[in-house]
């Protein structure tokens, strides 16, 4: 995830967004890694939680490759990179969290706690699930379909504090970002 830190970063973020759409051969916007690593001034980078490249490498047990990837990103975003930890209860999160934390501590990088909110309250989960089915041409009864966790509602600061009580430094950094 890339965020703008200032006006220069905002302009660059708009360029990156345009490139992701314009270079998408299949209509699905994707950002080439080369774009992400050039002209990073004014941008803040979060590593993407369990869905990010570093975490995916960790989950596969490729810790050395994950460390190299993280170091490369840290070099491109000096003082503006945060190792992102999410806790939606997925297997990918459970498999990657410990190695991600180890890499962050080893490389002296700050940790940030994030939550990918998809709807406002827990009561909205069934409606969101139905809307995802409509958008993707799927049915609620299908087992093999895209879903989000019912816990992906907009959590309060207190709920986030409880979820990440064991990582107070991540909560402090989140407030800073």
């Amino acid at each position: 995830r890339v965020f703008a830190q200032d006006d220069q970063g905002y302009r660059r973020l708009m360029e990156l967004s345009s490139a992701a759409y314009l270079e998408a051969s299949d209509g699905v916007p994707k950002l080439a890694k080369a774009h992400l690593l050039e002209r990073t001034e004014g941008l803040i980078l979060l590593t993407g939680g369990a869905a990010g490249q570093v975490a995916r490498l960790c989950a596969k047990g490729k810790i050395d490759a994950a460390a190299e990837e993280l170091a490369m990103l840290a070099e491109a975003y000096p003082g503006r990179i945060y190792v992102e930890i999410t806790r939606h209860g997925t297997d990918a999160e459970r498999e990657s969290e410990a190695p991600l934390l180890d890499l962050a501590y080893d490389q002296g990088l700050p940790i940030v706690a994030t939550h990918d909110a998809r709807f406002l309250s827990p009561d909205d989960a069934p409606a969101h699930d139905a809307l995802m089915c409509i958008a993707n041409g799927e049915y609620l009864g299908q087992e093999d379909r895209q879903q989000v966790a019912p816990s992906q509602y907009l959590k309060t600061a207190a709920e986030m504090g409880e979820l990440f009580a064991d990582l107070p430094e991540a909560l402090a950094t989140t407030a800073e970002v």
Side-chain angles (χ1 to χ4, degrees), residues 156-167:
T156 65
E159 288 172 315
M160 287 295 288
E162 186 177 317
L163 186 60
F164 289 95
D166 60 319
L167 289 174

Side-chain angles (χ1 to χ4, degrees), residues 10 19 44 62 66 71 76-77 79 91 100-101 111 114 118 150 153 155 163 166 176:
Y10 179 76
I44 295 171
K62 299 179 178 182
Y77 291 82
D91 290 339
L100 273 176
L101 291 172
I111 300 161
T114 66
R118 299 295 181 102
Y153 65 91
K155 293 190 182 302
L163 186 60
D166 60 319
E176 175 186 312

Side-chain angles (χ1 to χ4, degrees), residues 27-98:
V28 178
K30 295 179 198 79
L31 187 61
K33 190 179 203 175
H35 290 309
L36 188 65
L37 297 174
E38 61 190 14
R39 297 185 12 241
T40 66
E41 298 80 15
L43 296 173
I44 295 171
L45 181 72
L46 275 58
T47 59
Q53 177 66 12
V54 176
R56 287 194 312 257
L57 290 167
C58 286
K60 292 177 185 174
K62 299 179 178 182
I63 305 303
D64 290 340
E68 288 176 22
E69 179 77 13
L70 188 56
M72 178 187 59
L73 294 171
E75 185 177 335
Y77 291 82
R80 295 173 283 113
I81 182 173
Y82 299 85
V83 175
E84 186 175 2
I85 303 295
T86 56
R87 291 183 174 168
H88 304 109
T90 68
D91 290 339
E93 289 170 335
R94 284 187 285 277
E95 293 167 1
S96 64
E97 183 174 310

Side-chain angles (χ1 to χ4, degrees), residues 116-129:
D116 187 12
R118 299 295 181 102
F119 37 88
L120 288 177
S121 74
D123 294 339
D124 296 331
H128 184 271
D129 196 31

Side-chain angles (χ1 to χ4, degrees), residues 8 13 18 25-26 28 34 54 64-65 73 79 82 85 91 100 102-103 107-109 115 127 144 148 167-169:
Q8 179 184 14
L13 190 57
S18 295
S25 60
D26 60 358
V28 178
V54 176
D64 290 340
L73 294 171
Y82 299 85
I85 303 295
D91 290 339
L100 273 176
D102 289 343
L103 289 174
Q107 295 188 23
L109 298 174
H115 184 70
D144 186 26
V148 297
L167 289 174
E169 68 273 26

